[in-house]
Amino acid sequence: MVGVFGGSSIILLGILVTSLMMLLTPVAAEVGVWLLVITRIVDGMAQGIAYPAVFNLVTNWSKLNERSTFLSFSLSGIGFGPVLASYISASLCLTDFLGGWPSTFYLFGLLGLAWCLGWCIVGSTDVSSNRWISSIERDSILFSQSEEIKNKNVRN
């Protein structure tokens, strides 16, 4: 799927669907347990397609000698994000804001939609199609990637 649509589009789709499911979760809980379960399943599936797309972006956006650092930094939020979100969610659940617990879903759903908007503006699958990268950095990354391909062909 990433090979056909590109990592950028897959991540955008995954976060967009996840954000929409977050916004629908409080409503689904009011309607019935089966609708709640369906929204959570769809949310998990959307997150499942976004995660592998990160590896595609790292490959397309990094030099070979910087790839492990780039990947480590990119994936560091996997541990940090839920810890921060737990504290924020617990605080929101203790308030009467938007009904208490539903406010956590509304907040993170809206933050996800804001992220999607930003991604539409600055995101791209590779350096050659990005309008925000400097020409010096683009050339450096593309040169490194061409050297990687050349070295791979020599070894085979």
Side-chain angles (χ1 to χ4, degrees):
M1 205 163 149
V2 172
V4 175
F5 299 106
S8 181
S9 299
I10 299 300
I11 287 177
L12 178 64
L13 176 66
I15 301 301
L16 179 63
V17 171
T18 291
S19 301
L20 293 174
M21 291 302 108
M22 286 288 199
L23 292 170
L24 288 174
T25 295
V27 175
E30 294 272 331
V31 171
V33 70
W34 286 108
L35 188 58
L36 176 63
V37 168
I38 290 169
T39 60
R40 304 315 303 150
I41 289 172
V42 172
D43 179 26
M45 291 171 62
Q47 289 180 26
I49 67 165
Y51 181 75
V54 170
F55 295 97
N56 175 265
L57 289 180
V58 167
T59 301
N60 291 334
W61 272 91
S62 62
K63 298 176 185 177
L64 180 61
N65 63 338
E66 298 174 352
R67 196 160 291 159
S68 62
T69 303
F70 196 113
L71 189 60
S72 297
F73 182 77
S74 299
L75 297 177
S76 65
I78 289 173
F80 179 71
V83 170
L84 181 62
S86 294
Y87 285 113
I88 293 170
S89 297
S91 299
L92 285 172
C93 285
L94 294 174
T95 70
D96 291 330
F97 181 66
L98 295 173
W101 71 266
S103 64
T104 63
F105 291 93
Y106 296 137
L107 172 68
F108 291 113
L110 290 173
L111 286 174
L113 291 179
W115 182 92
C116 288
L117 178 63
W119 190 258
C120 285
I121 295 168
V122 300
S124 62
T125 297
D126 56 42
V127 294
S128 58
S129 63
N130 187 278
R131 62 179 177 226
W132 303 99
I133 191 171
S134 72
S135 59
I136 294 170
E137 186 169 7
R138 177 184 6 255
D139 292 345
S140 175
I141 293 170
L142 291 173
F143 176 77
S144 172
Q145 291 174 348
S146 69
E147 288 295 307
E148 179 183 352
I149 292 169
K150 192 183 336 177
N151 290 337
K152 187 185 276 186
N153 289 337
V154 168
R155 283 181 282 189
N156 293 333

